Structure formats: structure tokens, C-alpha cells
Amino acid sequence: MKLKAIAAIAFTMATTAAHAQTYPGKPITLLVPFAAGGPTDTVARVTAVTMSKLLGQTIIVENATGAGGTIATARAARAEPDGYTLLIHHIGISTAATLYRKLPYDTKTAFAPIGLVTNAPMTIIGRPDLPPNTLAELVTYIKANGDKMTFGNAGLGAASHLCGMLFMMAVGKEILAVPYKGNGPVMNDLISRQIDLTCDQTTNTTGPIAGKLVKGYAITTKTRLSSMPDLPTADEAGLKGFEVGAWHGIYAPKGTPDAIVQKLSQTLQEALRDPDLVKRFNDINTETVPQDQATPAALQATLVSEVDRWAPIIRAANQFAD
Ligand code: ASP
């Protein structure tokens, strides 16, 4: 190798190490793939406030919406790998890998994962004046009226899309899907009776269900939540084995220096121990992950296994976007 080339590599390595030492020296942008005021946005903002405090640097939350979250994901994948552009995403990052025939990134390899953040249960909810009062009644109602009904979701690749797809498969009836840029706007239209149904994370639905602004039919966890004792699980209400939850993770672009990845992961772990953050998530019926899950290895393992887990299910449902 020529001396000049060796010197250039040495220079790059030295500046990268120096950057890692002083990181973060300016505000960090955290991309959120869905609209403001929705469930992913809430998880992002709660986490960003605490991580900002710990890092001594502002984290700007930017809602980069569209195409079921793949626009923000693509932007994060091609961002400068310097730790100043991060992505927060949920289970949808793994389903989009199969739903989209072409993506400008390889889901399993495009990122330097930072760690898992939370697991948010999902709830099947309806507009406040939808006639059925229980999940069993809802299933009967859909069988008779499904052709005239609408199901709001946050686009192909959203958790609400996945949950809706599984729900329709379980009920055995297609309902017209209405895609939005996030579940914030879906919730507004459900409350104002523009659409009939959605499946949305507790991070967004806890308040509206408690306030009876929407009808809560079921929760998609294995057992009922003690904080929502009246809401049956989908399984006990008749949809056997219906279980899905939205795990969330934070990602940096592949190539981000390991020292920065480690610093972010340790900060995330510390943030998840913060009593205020834990309380804020508990209040919206969402659990923070254990410390050993807020790590690059745990998120990478989850991402890979989830891509593989959902691929055959999505193929069987024949749901694709070009
Ligand atoms: N997480 C939601 C979903 O996937 C979208 C959102 O956060 O607005 O349905």
C-alpha cells in the first residue's frame, strides 16, 4: 500500500476515535417513521427526553413519515454513520422486509443496532358507536357487515397493519384497509367515527379506552393486564392463539464507530432504569425491556429472528407492495 493511502487511513481512524471520545458534540436526530402524536412517537419522545438528559445533548425527534415506515428506515440506513442520525422503529421494520418486494436497504445488515427499548401490547379497538360490545359480537358483526367496514392502519409495514392482517385472517373476512401516516391520525378518525376499527398499541390507546372515546374489544397479550382488567385477551375472547406485540428498538447506520454504539447502548440502559421513564411507560401499559435486552446483540438477534418469523406468514397472506 502506498504511504499516502496508509496515512489517509490512519488519519480517518484517528479522527473517528477523537469523534467517539467527544460524542455527542452536537444535537442528535432521532427519526420516527410515523406521525406525531402516535404510539411510536410517544415511545420515541419519552426515551429521547431521558437519553438527552444523560448524554447532555439535545435529541431532536423528527417524524419522517410515509410508506409504512420504510422512508425513515431508508433514510437512517443511508445516513452518515457518525451517531448523529438514529432511528427508532418497532416490529414493523421486520415485517416490511417481506411486505416490500424492493427496499433500498437490507433489513438484516443495514444497521448498527443500539438496543431494544419497550414491548407495547396491542389492542383491537372500534369507533365509539360501533354496535358490537364484545369481541365475539364484533366477529359476528364483521362476518355480516365486513364488506362495508373500514380498518385504519399506519401503512403496509406498520404494527397496525400486521395486527389487522392477523385479525382479518383469524376472523376470515377482509375489511377495507385505510392507510394513514401513523396511528395518531388513525385515532382522531376513529374517535370522530370516520373509520370503524384499528389495532393499535397501548401507548396510544390506554387513555381513549379508559375515557370511552373508543370501544376496546381485546388486548393481544397472553394474559390480561392488571391495569386494564376489563379488557379480555383476544385468545380468551375467541381468537385462539392471537398474540402480537410491538417491540421497539433504536438503530444507527451500519459503520457507526463501536465506541459510539456502546455509548448509546449504555445510555439507553441507564435511561430504562430511570424511575420517571419507567412510570411514564407503565402509565401507558408498556414495559421497558430488561437491561440485557437494551444491547446491540439482543436487538440484532430479535431483528433477524423476527424477519424470519414473519416472512412465511406474510407470504401466505399474499400481502406485498412494489
Ligand atoms: N406504530 C404504529 C403502527 O405501526 C404507527 C404509529 O406509531 O403511528 O401502527
Side-chain angles (χ1 to χ4, degrees):
M1 201 184 297
K2 291 230 168 71
L3 254 178
K4 242 184 177 170
I6 295 171
I9 292 168
F11 178 76
T12 309
M13 283 169 71
T15 32
T16 304
H19 282 161
Q21 265 170 25
T22 54
Y23 175 84
K26 60 178 185 180
I28 298 166
T29 297
L30 179 63
L31 297 174
V32 176
F34 301 103
T40 316
D41 184 63
T42 299
V43 172
R45 286 175 200 273
V46 171
T47 310
V49 166
T50 312
M51 285 185 72
S52 275
K53 239 190 306 177
L54 295 170
L55 288 167
Q57 190 55 261
T58 307
I59 298 181
I60 300 161
V61 172
E62 184 185 330
N63 301 88
T65 62
T70 57
I71 287 179
T73 310
R75 226 181 101 185
R78 62 169 188 265
E80 197 63 40
D82 57 6
Y84 291 103
T85 306
L86 305 175
L87 169 76
I88 187 160
H89 205 329
H90 56 38
I91 188 171
I93 193 171
S94 63
T95 55
T98 306
L99 285 164
Y100 288 80
R101 289 187 213 273
K102 274 183 258 144
L103 282 175
Y105 56 87
D106 181 318
T107 306
K108 289 182 181 174
T109 60
F111 300 101
I114 304 299
L116 285 153
V117 184
T118 57
N119 282 314
M122 302 197 72
T123 51
I124 298 163
I125 57 175
R127 63 177 156 84
D129 57 345
L130 200 63
N133 288 316
T134 64
L135 187 62
E137 285 174 20
L138 178 64
V139 171
T140 308
Y141 185 84
I142 290 172
K143 286 192 169 144
N145 303 288
D147 298 340
K148 293 173 267 171
M149 293 176 74
T150 47
F151 195 106
N153 68 32
L156 220 62
S160 46
H161 167 265
L162 172 68
C163 184
M165 181 188 89
L166 297 173
F167 177 68
M168 289 176 215
M169 285 163 87
V171 174
K173 185 98 188 172
E174 276 278 323
I175 304 172
L176 180 69
V178 184
Y180 290 74
K181 290 193 166 173
N183 270 86
V186 171
M187 182 61 85
N188 291 341
D189 275 8
L190 195 67
I191 292 173
S192 60
R193 305 160 193 206
Q194 310 292 316
I195 52 172
D196 295 313
L197 289 168
T198 192
C199 182
D200 191 3
Q201 284 100 294
T202 48
T203 30
N204 204 37
T205 63
T206 297
I209 292 174
K212 301 210 178 332
L213 296 175
V214 297
K215 271 193 184 175
Y217 289 108
I219 190 150
T220 62
T221 39
K222 204 175 232 119
T223 52
R224 289 190 190 204
L225 299 192
S226 54
S227 50
M228 299 175 110
D230 298 335
L231 200 60
T233 67
D235 180 275
E236 75 179 273
L239 298 182
K240 288 292 155 221
F242 190 101
E243 209 191 316
V244 60
W247 52 270
H248 295 72
I250 297 179
Y251 306 80
K254 177 181 170 177
T256 303
D258 194 50
I260 290 178
V261 169
Q262 292 308 328
K263 178 154 193 171
L264 286 167
S265 177
Q266 278 153 17
T267 306
L268 174 63
Q269 289 164 33
E270 211 181 319
L272 298 184
R273 288 195 295 266
D274 181 278
D276 287 344
L277 176 143
V278 171
K279 179 173 180 333
R280 287 217 53 199
F281 279 129
N282 284 346
D283 286 348
I284 47 178
N285 290 301
T286 299
E287 270 180 24
T288 52
V289 299
Q291 294 296 300
D292 62 351
Q293 299 290 298
T295 58
L299 177 53
Q300 181 64 22
T302 301
L303 179 66
V304 169
S305 73
E306 287 283 279
V307 169
D308 294 343
R309 171 185 172 208
W310 292 112
I313 297 169
I314 291 164
R315 282 193 201 107
N318 204 19
Q319 301 250 339
F320 297 107
D322 289 316

